[in-house]
Amino acid sequence: MTRLIHHTTSPRPAPRRGGLRAALLLGLLSTMLLAAPARADVRTEARRHFRAGMALVQEGQIDAGVAELQVAYDILPHPNVLYNIGRAYAEAGRYEEALEYFEQYVESDPPDREEVRQFIVAIEARIAEAAGTTAVATGTGEPSETDPEPGPTVATASEEDIVALEDTATQIETLGITANDPSLIARAERLRAMAQELREGGAGSSETGTTGTGTTETGTTETGTTETGTTETGTGEAGDIAIAAGGQDLYDESVVSSTGAAQNPLDAPNAITIITAQDIRLTGITHIGELFRRVAGADVMNTNGADVQVGIRGFNQQLSPRVLVLINNRQAYVDALGANLFAYFPIGVEDIERIEIIRGPASALYGANGFSGIINIITVAPGDRAETGVTIGGGMGSSLRAGAWSSGRAGRISYRLSAGYDQFDRWERTVTDATVGISEPFLNGEQIIRNKRAFGALSYRLSDEAALNFEAGVSDGRFGFQAFGSFVDWQATATSTHTTASLDTSWGSVRVWWNRIGVSSGVVGPDPLLGEFVSDTIDVDGRFAHTFELGSTTHNITLGVGYRWKRIDWTFVNQTPTEDHFRVVFQDAMRLADPLQLVVGFRVDRHPVLENVQFSPRIALVVTPAEGHALRASFSTAFRTQTLLETYMALDFPTPAPGVTARNYGSETARLELGQDPLTPESIQSVEIGYRNAASDRFDFDISLYYNRVENIISIGELLPTTLGQFGSGVLGYTDGPAAFPIGTTIFSNEPGLFHVLGGEVNGRFYPVDGLDIYANYAYNQTWALDNPRRPDEERTSAHKVNAGVQYRSAFGLDLSLDVHYASGQKWLEETFDENSNLVSVNLSQPAYYLVNARIGYRLLDDALELGVTGFNITNNRHRQHPRGQQLEARVVASATYRF
């Protein structure tokens, strides 16, 4: 039986094998590291043991196979392993052992719970039947020496159980016909046969693989025969059925972000990187934005300790707007600012199951802002990792962090709740008590973030095919970030909330979500410069997904429609603008033949500020010439529209001259007040080819080559001097807030000319021996501009980036990790004011830098307690990651986590 695998399990700490080794002498540590048994990547190691166990079961070596399967489950628990152990025992006729594992499997509330309950009924009938064959005509309940060969007795399944079994068969048959899956149809036929046998009170073959009439040469049933005869091991068809039941891909990685449906990364039409929960735990990194340094092609820029901006394959900037970040497929990107404020997310790293990163344009599925890539943060599903835990940590830079979480199930309801607090100092103080004309209204001069957060998820199972899901999160506190222009140290007090409700079925989903961010304080500068604003986003999305056969081609169709409503209420916007956005999505992932997959899709977006609809097509071809190997080629487009800030802003920038500012207008405000032309959306066309090799459990290797053509990049234009007419008409004049006159205006505008980007990425992850997990990648990116006089020499993306790291996990509890990152030099074209308050563009050099992070941890009390020390920039290589950013320094923090 083919299992429906939900890859919601996550790498967990090593299995609880007991025993404290805290008294080991430090002088023996190096010897232990070499000699002690250790653990490789838990998913990979579990997969090795699972495959070995299934192979042994197929060969009829039940006990040896079950032992391997049990090891896989201990390393990385997955309920489907329990199912396969139960099947192995059942096929061998060892019903009581099979019953134990089937009951444990049903306790996990799997999608096929009702079907398996019928297996349990049948097994209980077999156990009763076996007991009946030993109680013969004497009526005493004791075996008779004079009647050693009793006939079979009637199974004791009730009519209600039999009817339920027939109903299950009908449901599976309907699903098999709909999906054109012969295995499901065959399974339904076997279930009906089982029901008929139970009704007739006889025996024969059953879904559990045993019969009451098949015998050995001695006439007994103890060897577990089938109607097709016996084998030397007595398993009959056990091996074949058990392999089909579990599938060799049980512990394979699965991604959902590339096409919207779960698939093996080998079948994905995009370059994809997965960051696992194990990666997160072992690095000790707690700032979500910092996790992406290990990703090939990612540009990570830490400017002040709290603000980390992430780009993919170029065009990163302060308030980077070209990478769309999702939490469980819900947008976490802040529409108002056009940025991802990772430090202000309502989740902590303990909530994350895995992170999927799509490298390259993704507007065909995700629309605006999926310009150069997608980051989809997938949290632990409600009910998974059923545990309660607490964590606390602190160290240099006034770092303080605390968190708690709980997850469990109660009947049809599954839940997960978490809460936390984060505090962190800036890398360096940019404003001192002696600074004239600058105020710090609410944060002290050192602190950069102080944030409280809470998150909850609830799932209610309506049936095997449908569930209602709810999520809610809130983040409240004070944080700083680096913005555009001369604003290098913004600070804000803000509250961010989000809620999501969805109905998810086997045919698709309907989802509604609401995001709000409210900022109630200003910025380092003349107070209150930023003012107050509230931004709301409401999104309604419907998706239909269906698989069907047309001729010899399998089609996986996705059709979606959606509506998004946006509103911003801001001190510096005279009105309260709202926007209505509409979209249609279509995708067909066609399996043309076993080795060949073609993905064709597009998305149409209607933006209220734009004259024309935006059409975003994608076509990709994936060829799998051999198991574990995949070649892909794709062409895709993407676009980015202006943010609410870039559309409606009317904000005064400070200049070096007292009483003088420069007014910055959003595109729509400039169109209405100054008669300027509207903005054109940024656009990108991308061609990519790639190869991935995952044929071995010892390594995973991929390479990608791409060319991007980019135009209409949106940036702040040159300063236009204020005219007498503008003063006279009242369009520009004295402003009470900053108590200043605007010397001129700047407007968000499209860059002239074209940008060409050529690049490639090589990425490998290796598991040479159990206990070592090594990764390394290299990314090359070269960007040049044509017909753009403003940016002829700019290189804001490092031409060369190298990431490498190693993880070590021992069986006795010791964990070690080391990560090294290198980025070559950059040149940033930045706007600034000279001594005469003129806005000028200058090229600022950013030298190459390297960063080394490390962690040592120890698991105690059967892994319930975990202690760790994490070092960030442990070589204290003081450097900046943006010319106007703060200088990073070393930080060391300690942490303790306890799981109940």
Side-chain angles (χ1 to χ4, degrees):
M1 174 179 14
T2 301
R3 310 269 8 104
L4 176 62
I5 306 298
H6 293 281
H7 288 268
T8 54
T9 60
S10 68
R12 296 175 54 182
R16 302 182 175 183
R17 301 184 179 178
L20 298 178
R21 304 288 181 90
L24 291 174
L25 296 175
L26 293 178
L28 298 178
L29 181 59
S30 59
T31 302
M32 291 164 48
L33 294 181
L34 294 174
R39 305 281 305 285
D41 169 72
V42 289
R43 178 188 54 79
T44 303
E45 185 175 342
R47 182 174 59 192
R48 282 201 294 267
H49 286 284
F50 178 79
R51 289 181 172 180
M54 297 300 281
L56 289 169
V57 169
Q58 187 177 21
E59 295 170 1
Q61 302 181 48
I62 302 302
D63 289 328
V66 167
E68 287 287 336
L69 294 177
Q70 188 64 61
V71 170
Y73 184 83
D74 291 340
I75 293 172
L76 182 54
H78 196 298
N80 287 44
V81 179
L82 300 175
Y83 175 89
N84 281 279
I85 295 175
R87 284 298 299 268
Y89 279 136
E91 295 296 337
R94 296 161 62 172
Y95 302 126
E96 292 185 357
E97 294 163 295
L99 184 63
E100 175 187 353
Y101 281 94
F102 278 135
E103 288 176 340
Q104 290 182 50
Y105 174 73
V106 170
E107 288 176 1
S108 69
D109 197 31
D112 58 352
R113 67 194 67 76
E114 296 303 324
E115 178 187 344
V116 177
R117 286 193 180 106
Q118 301 314 311
F119 298 165
I120 292 174
V121 169
I123 289 175
E124 289 173 339
R126 297 295 181 189
I127 293 174
E129 178 184 352
T133 61
T134 63
V136 293
T138 60
T140 63
E142 298 294 328
S144 169
E145 295 180 1
T146 62
D147 192 0
E149 295 183 6
T153 61
V154 178
T156 57
S158 67
E159 179 65 21
E160 181 180 355
D161 292 332
I162 294 172
V163 171
L165 189 60
E166 291 173 333
D167 290 342
T168 299
T170 300
Q171 295 173 8
I172 294 175
E173 182 180 47
T174 301
L175 181 61
I177 294 172
T178 301
N180 195 21
D181 188 338
S183 66
L184 293 177
I185 297 173
R187 188 194 312 173
E189 293 173 353
R190 291 195 297 271
L191 289 176
R192 280 205 183 89
M194 180 196 299
Q196 184 64 27
E197 294 163 16
L198 293 174
R199 177 171 280 112
E200 293 174 354
S205 64
S206 72
E207 175 67 2
T208 59
T210 61
T211 75
T213 58
T215 62
T216 65
E217 292 181 359
T218 61
T220 66
T221 60
E222 294 177 354
T223 55
T225 61
T226 71
E227 66 179 1
T228 59
T230 64
T231 67
E232 290 182 3
T233 61
T235 60
E237 296 177 329
D240 293 339
I241 295 176
I243 287 293
Q248 295 287 47
D249 62 346
L250 178 61
Y251 285 107
D252 282 354
E253 287 182 317
S254 178
V255 296
V256 298
S257 303
S258 185
T259 62
Q263 62 182 168
N264 191 297
L266 285 166
D267 296 325
N270 305 87
I272 287 184
T273 300
I274 300 174
I275 299 175
T276 68
Q278 174 183 290
D279 295 330
I280 297 171
R281 182 183 69 84
L282 290 181
T283 62
I285 297 295
T286 58
H287 192 304
I288 294 176
E290 283 289 340
L291 297 173
F292 306 114
R293 289 193 188 277
R294 66 189 295 126
V295 177
D299 307 305
V300 180
M301 184 173 67
N302 189 321
T303 59
N304 60 22
D307 180 29
V308 177
Q309 295 300 318
V310 178
I312 296 177
R313 295 180 174 178
F315 298 99
N316 198 18
Q317 65 182 56
Q318 308 102 304
L319 294 182
S320 179
R322 298 178 183 92
V323 174
L324 183 62
V325 176
L326 312 170
I327 299 177
N328 297 329
N329 295 307
R330 174 198 59 81
Q331 179 175 301
Y333 178 95
V334 181
D335 274 310
L337 299 176
N340 301 294
L341 305 179
F342 294 101
Y344 216 54
F345 284 177
I347 60 173
V349 291
E350 296 82 9
D351 295 312
I352 299 175
E353 166 67 30
R354 69 182 186 278
I355 304 176
E356 300 177 2
I357 300 99
I358 295 178
R359 312 194 306 270
S363 285
L365 272 183
Y366 297 99
N369 311 319
F371 188 84
S372 59
I374 296 290
I375 294 174
N376 192 7
I377 301 171
I378 299 173
T379 63
V380 178
D384 283 4
R385 295 197 215 167
E387 64 180 15
T388 297
V390 294
T391 186
I392 188 169
M396 298 171 62
S398 300
S399 301
L400 179 61
R401 187 174 187 273
W405 64 91
S406 182
S407 183
R409 299 178 186 271
R412 292 174 176 263
I413 297 176
S414 303
Y415 68 90
R416 182 175 178 87
L417 304 171
S418 68
Y421 174 81
D422 297 280
Q423 176 181 301
F424 197 81
D425 276 2
R426 67 183 69 221
W427 297 117
E428 57 183 348
R429 186 168 180 172
T430 57
V431 177
T432 68
D433 295 335
T435 303
V436 178
I438 299 295
S439 64
E440 292 181 288
F442 50 83
L443 285 184
N444 64 48
E446 303 293 340
Q447 202 169 85
I448 196 66
I449 187 169
R450 187 166 67 237
N451 182 47
K452 303 178 292 292
R453 53 182 168 78
F455 178 78
L458 180 71
S459 179
Y460 179 75
R461 176 172 51 81
L462 298 173
S463 69
D464 291 350
E465 302 295 326
L468 286 173
N469 296 292
F470 304 91
E471 285 184 7
V474 61
S475 182
D476 178 74
R478 302 169 177 178
F479 69 103
F481 56 93
Q482 179 171 319
F484 45 80
S486 58
F487 291 116
V488 296
D489 203 350
W490 290 54
Q491 297 184 28
T493 297
T495 300
S496 174
T497 60
H498 86 256
T499 57
T500 306
S502 67
L503 171 63
D504 298 285
T505 75
S506 60
W507 287 79
S509 64
V510 177
R511 182 174 58 171
V512 179
W513 56 259
W514 168 55
N515 285 1
R516 162 172 283 195
I517 181 167
V519 178
S520 58
S521 296
V523 61
V524 173
D527 184 32
L529 187 56
L530 180 59
E532 299 181 1
F533 78 80
V534 176
S535 174
D536 291 289
T537 304
I538 297 176
D539 193 284
V540 182
D541 184 82
R543 293 288 172 106
F544 167 81
H546 185 53
T547 300
F548 64 92
E549 298 282 344
L550 185 61
S552 60
T553 302
T554 302
H555 295 263
N556 295 281
I557 296 292
T558 300
L559 179 63
V561 294
Y563 165 76
R564 181 171 297 177
W565 177 83
K566 300 179 184 179
R567 179 186 74 97
I568 186 169
D569 187 0
W570 193 20
T571 305
F572 296 98
V573 176
N574 295 329
Q575 52 183 322
T576 302
T578 62
E579 293 184 350
D580 298 283
H581 300 247
F582 301 89
R583 62 183 179 270
V584 175
V585 178
F586 171 82
Q587 178 181 266
D588 186 1
M590 296 172 276
R591 177 67 65 177
L592 304 178
D594 285 341
L596 188 61
Q597 179 186 204
L598 178 65
V599 179
V600 178
F602 64 85
R603 173 164 161 156
V604 178
D605 285 83
R606 181 70 176 113
H607 191 293
V609 179
L610 305 178
E611 295 182 0
N612 302 315
V613 299
Q614 298 300 306
F615 180 68
S616 305
R618 173 177 70 168
I619 182 170
L621 184 67
V622 181
V623 182
T624 52
E627 183 178 357
H629 300 263
L631 296 166
R632 66 179 184 276
S634 66
F635 169 78
S636 57
T637 68
F639 71 100
R640 185 184 82 85
T641 57
Q642 62 262 42
T643 66
L644 296 177
L645 194 77
E646 294 166 336
T647 305
Y648 303 105
M649 185 174 72
L651 179 61
D652 290 302
F653 286 3
T655 73
V660 176
T661 62
R663 176 72 55 84
N664 183 253
Y665 280 123
S667 63
E668 189 67 6
T669 304
R671 185 184 68 83
L672 295 175
E673 296 192 12
L674 305 177
Q676 296 293 317
D677 294 333
L679 284 174
T680 300
E682 297 181 353
S683 65
I684 181 173
Q685 295 86 42
S686 179
V687 176
E688 179 178 339
I689 58 175
Y691 165 73
R692 182 163 187 169
N693 184 336
S696 170
D697 289 335
R698 296 296 181 182
F699 67 86
D700 190 333
F701 169 83
D702 71 82
I703 184 171
S704 301
L705 301 174
Y706 61 88
Y707 164 75
N708 296 337
R709 180 181 184 274
V710 181
E711 58 184 334
N712 297 318
I713 290 293
I714 298 172
S715 64
I716 297 177
E718 297 179 355
L719 182 68
L720 304 175
T722 303
T723 66
L724 291 176
Q726 289 171 332
F727 272 117
S729 64
V731 171
L732 295 174
Y734 182 80
T735 305
D736 292 330
F741 286 95
I743 192 175
T745 59
T746 60
I747 302 169
F748 285 103
S749 60
N750 295 112
E751 294 273 356
L754 298 174
F755 292 89
H756 297 275
V757 185
L758 186 65
E761 298 143 1
V762 180
N763 185 70
R765 192 158 182 171
F766 312 94
Y767 319 100
V769 296
D770 286 356
L772 286 179
D773 176 3
I774 303 170
Y775 78 92
N777 58 66
Y778 166 75
Y780 172 79
N781 181 287
Q782 187 63 54
T783 302
W784 67 94
L786 294 180
D787 302 322
N788 188 321
R790 293 190 65 199
R791 304 179 185 271
D793 301 317
E794 186 183 43
E795 296 179 5
R796 69 169 64 180
T797 302
S798 296
H800 308 278
K801 292 190 293 292
V802 178
N803 305 302
V806 59
Q807 298 173 356
Y808 172 90
R809 292 171 300 107
S810 69
F812 61 84
L814 178 67
D815 295 331
L816 299 173
S817 73
L818 180 71
D819 296 272
V820 180
H821 313 280
Y822 168 81
S824 62
Q826 304 167 355
K827 293 180 182 178
W828 288 75
L829 185 70
E830 292 290 309
E831 286 73 28
T832 188
F833 291 97
D834 62 17
E835 63 277 5
N836 298 318
S837 296
N838 295 316
L839 186 67
V840 295
S841 298
V842 295
N843 257 318
L844 303 177
S845 294
Q846 169 61 50
Y849 70 87
Y850 70 90
L851 185 70
V852 181
N853 302 329
R855 177 184 181 269
I856 181 171
Y858 200 87
R859 291 169 275 111
L860 309 166
L861 305 178
D862 286 344
D863 290 356
L865 176 63
E866 184 175 3
L867 306 177
V869 177
T870 302
F872 180 86
N873 193 18
I874 59 174
T875 62
N876 200 26
N877 174 35
R878 299 179 67 87
H879 66 278
R880 306 183 194 278
Q881 297 181 0
H882 183 274
R884 288 175 170 168
Q886 297 174 17
Q887 187 169 249
L888 276 66
E889 59 185 18
R891 294 280 172 92
V892 178
V893 298
S895 65
T897 301
Y898 189 81
R899 298 176 176 87
F900 299 90

